[in-house]
Amino acid sequence: MKETRDELVEIISRAEIEKRVRELARVINQEYRGQELILIGILKGAFMFMADLVRELTMPVKIDFVRLASYGSSMDSSGRITFSKDIELDIDGRHVLIVEDIVDTGYTLKYLKDVLSLKGPGSVKICCLIDKKERRKVDVAVDYVGFEVPRGFLVGYGLDYNEQYRNLPGVFHLNPSYEPKAYSPSER
Ligand code: IMP
Ligand code: MG
């Protein structure tokens, strides 16, 4: 097999992310002013966004994580979700904000929202750094969106490809010339 080097093209800089995270936090701070908020981050991708977002929040905050994955080692969503870590906090009657790195088909967030709703929270909203809206397969309301990106496979700022690149401080297009199968017009 021919060795091809990964090609990275920056699409969102560290400074742009910092600015946008502060803007999102301002809106969330207003919306939940004076109320306790439980943030639930989706591991692993959301760890960096969660860490930055939470430092900008001014209401009383608790933090928890779930571990979910819908991607194996490929760039296309499998649609099959593995749930390997549940929350540890009691969310009964509480305001919950799911924190996610990127929403693509929507399967992951729809699944998590449904699972969390069974635990009787007062409310469940979703905050996502990147929305790949054009790729949506199931309807899921994303309440706070950092950036909309139409297509492409992205890495950095928590996002990985085969567990690589999570540490990059900005968001990059990986191999912009690569066209995942799901992008073929016949499937839209
Ligand atoms: P969905 O279930 O198809 O919405 O997929 C969401 C999950 O797939 C995210 O939590 C990411 O972990 C992963 N994912 C989707 N798009 C990308 C991407 O462009 N780069 C890296 N991971 C992605
Ligand atoms: Mg993720």
Side-chain angles (χ1 to χ4, degrees), residues 88-150:
E88 287 154 32
L89 295 175
D90 180 7
I91 60 168
D92 190 6
R94 306 309 171 103
H95 294 300
V96 168
L97 183 63
I98 298 172
V99 179
E100 173 63 314
D101 50 3
I102 188 163
V103 50
D104 183 28
T105 62
Y107 288 126
T108 304
L109 281 173
K110 169 136 188 22
Y111 174 86
L112 182 62
K113 203 172 176 182
D114 290 350
V115 166
L116 293 179
S117 297
L118 296 174
K119 297 176 191 274
S123 69
V124 184
K125 286 195 174 184
I126 297 175
C127 176
C128 198
L129 183 74
I130 297 168
D131 188 357
K132 287 206 267 186
K133 219 178 191 167
E134 290 180 10
R135 299 250 308 151
R136 201 72 87 254
K137 295 240 172 80
V138 286
D139 209 22
V140 57
V142 185
D143 304 278
Y144 310 99
V145 176
F147 301 92
E148 280 185 15
V149 177

Side-chain angles (χ1 to χ4, degrees), residues 42-46 68 100-102 108 159 166:
I42 306 183
L43 294 172
K44 302 175 195 175
L68 286 174
E100 173 63 314
D101 50 3
I102 188 163
T108 304
L159 293 161
R166 291 192 196 275

Side-chain angles (χ1 to χ4, degrees), residues 21-98:
V21 169
R22 279 196 299 271
E23 287 168 1
L24 286 174
R26 207 174 307 132
V27 177
I28 296 168
N29 283 333
Q30 268 166 19
E31 202 131 323
Y32 294 93
R33 199 192 344 237
Q35 306 182 74
E36 187 184 84
L37 184 60
I38 298 186
L39 298 185
I40 300 181
I42 306 183
L43 294 172
K44 302 175 195 175
F47 81 99
M48 208 177 277
F49 179 38
M50 176 82 140
D52 284 344
L53 182 67
V54 81
R55 278 178 283 186
E56 301 292 332
L57 297 181
T58 52
M59 76 291 280
V61 156
K62 288 182 180 168
I63 284 166
D64 210 337
F65 290 96
V66 290
R67 171 87 175 108
L68 286 174
S70 72
Y71 273 62
S73 57
S74 90
M75 289 194 206
D76 293 314
S77 178
S78 65
R80 231 188 18 245
I81 294 166
T82 12
F83 190 5
S84 53
K85 186 212 170 296
D86 201 351
I87 50 168
E88 287 154 32
L89 295 175
D90 180 7
I91 60 168
D92 190 6
R94 306 309 171 103
H95 294 300
V96 168
L97 183 63
I98 298 172

